[in-house]
């Protein structure tokens, strides 16, 4: 029921976002300033290789505005979770993505909130993320560093560092492998990794199949290994 309600609400919100000015921006032959949207679903909601949905399926959506020069972006999003009595995590992100020396950088700040959480549960928090990525032919690599001074739930501050490499097998099939380390207060430290492939069925529809695992199985089912399938529709 909650997922149907969330999807209905997001659809209405997306329709409201597409004003005549925004529609003109999207369809204009030269301007890049525009809104983009994404809806998706998966068999498990994995963040930093651990489950946020109790190892159950989830849905998500986002609406992102990007400036005309492509440097700045901002927008809301949501994903279904199972944490502290809350079934939804809402977020708002603001970011800056310059390019220099052949690298693409992405610096962003994200506010996250889990409505209807149980009394005494820390329902919100900030996350600050920096990415540096580069592609050479079919090969790609990315380094991500993320920090939160006070995350939602029992976790206080945390730091996440992840390295990822990828390879384009065809113009539609891409494979990636990533390894990351999370150091945190109020929850276990762990190392996690994932490997999988993404296939672009069309220019707007992607399918992803990925295997996740961590070295923290003794701390709960959310840290155990899983094979996760996901579908994403961007428009």
């Amino acid at each position: 029921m909650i997922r149907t309600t969330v999807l209905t609400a997001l659809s209405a919100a997306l329709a409201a976002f597409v004003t005549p000015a925004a529609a003109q921006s999207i369809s204009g032959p030269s301007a890049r300033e525009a809104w983009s949207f994404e809806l998706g679903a998966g068999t498990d909601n994995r963040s930093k290789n651990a489950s946020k949905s109790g190892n159950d399926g989830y849905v998500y959506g986002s609406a992102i505005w990007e400036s005309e020069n492509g440097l700045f972006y901002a927008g809301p999003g949501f994903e279904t979770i199972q944490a502290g009595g809350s079934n939804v995590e809402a977020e708002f992100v603001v970011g800056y993505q310059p390019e220099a020396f052949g690298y693409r950088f992405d610096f962003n700040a994200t506010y996250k909130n889990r409505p209807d959480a149980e009394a005494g549960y820390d329902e919100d928090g900030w996350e600050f993320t920096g990415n540096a990525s580069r592609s050479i032919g079919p090969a790609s690599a990315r380094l991500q560093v993320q920090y939160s001074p006070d995350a939602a739930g029992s976790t206080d501050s945390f730091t996440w560092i992840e390295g990822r490499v990828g390879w384009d097998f065809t113009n539609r099939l891409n494979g990636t492998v990533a390894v990351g380390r999370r150091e945190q207060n109020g929850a276990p430290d762990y190392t996690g990794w994932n490997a999988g492939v993404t296939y672009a069925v069309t220019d707007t529809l992607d399918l992803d199949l990925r295997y996740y695992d961590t070295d923290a199985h003794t701390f709960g089912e959310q840290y155990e290994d899983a094979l996760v399938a996901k579908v994403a529709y961007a428009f």
Side-chain angles (χ1 to χ4, degrees):
M1 181 62 182
I2 182 68
R3 296 178 183 177
T4 301
T5 302
V6 170
L7 282 173
T8 302
L10 182 68
S11 298
L14 297 185
F17 279 134
V18 185
T19 62
Q24 181 179 3
S25 174
I26 292 173
S27 60
S30 59
R32 287 186 58 192
E33 180 177 343
W35 282 94
S36 61
F37 310 97
E38 184 172 323
L39 292 172
T43 57
D44 189 4
N45 185 352
R46 290 271 160 161
S47 174
K48 302 171 186 64
N49 302 297
S51 178
K52 297 172 63 175
S53 59
N55 302 306
D56 289 335
Y58 79 110
V59 296
Y60 72 91
S62 65
I64 296 294
W65 168 87
E66 186 176 288
S67 65
E68 182 176 351
N69 59 15
L71 289 176
F72 302 96
Y73 63 93
F78 82 92
E79 57 190 75
T80 58
I81 62 171
Q82 293 183 29
S86 178
N87 293 313
V88 178
E89 181 175 87
E91 68 175 41
F92 189 88
V93 62
V94 176
Y96 173 62
Q97 49 185 5
E99 295 186 22
F101 310 108
Y103 291 86
R104 184 175 182 86
F105 299 93
D106 185 349
F107 307 102
N108 64 71
T110 305
Y111 172 73
K112 296 188 175 185
N113 187 279
R114 298 173 176 179
D116 300 323
E118 299 168 347
Y121 182 85
D122 189 357
E123 65 180 18
D124 64 351
W126 283 89
E127 293 182 2
F128 303 94
T129 305
N131 294 304
S133 59
R134 186 168 186 174
S135 297
I136 302 177
S140 62
R142 187 192 73 178
L143 175 65
Q144 180 179 87
V145 178
Q146 189 174 80
Y147 172 74
S148 175
D150 185 13
S154 61
T155 304
D156 295 325
S157 63
F158 76 78
T159 301
W160 168 259
I161 300 176
E162 180 188 72
R164 186 185 73 186
V165 294
W167 187 269
D168 292 331
F169 297 102
T170 70
N171 62 343
R172 291 193 177 274
L173 181 64
N174 169 264
T176 57
V177 177
V179 179
R181 175 70 180 175
R182 183 169 182 168
E183 302 279 350
Q184 52 191 343
N185 296 315
D189 301 336
Y190 67 90
T191 299
W193 67 277
N194 69 80
V197 293
T198 303
Y199 181 73
V201 180
T202 68
D203 291 340
T204 58
L205 184 67
D206 287 349
L207 300 178
D208 186 88
L209 185 64
R210 195 162 300 276
Y211 180 80
Y212 294 87
D213 199 8
T214 76
D215 64 355
H217 295 181
T218 58
F219 293 102
E221 293 182 354
Q222 70 269 33
Y223 298 106
E224 294 181 354
D225 62 318
L227 183 62
V228 177
K230 187 177 76 172
V231 58
Y233 175 64
F235 57 101

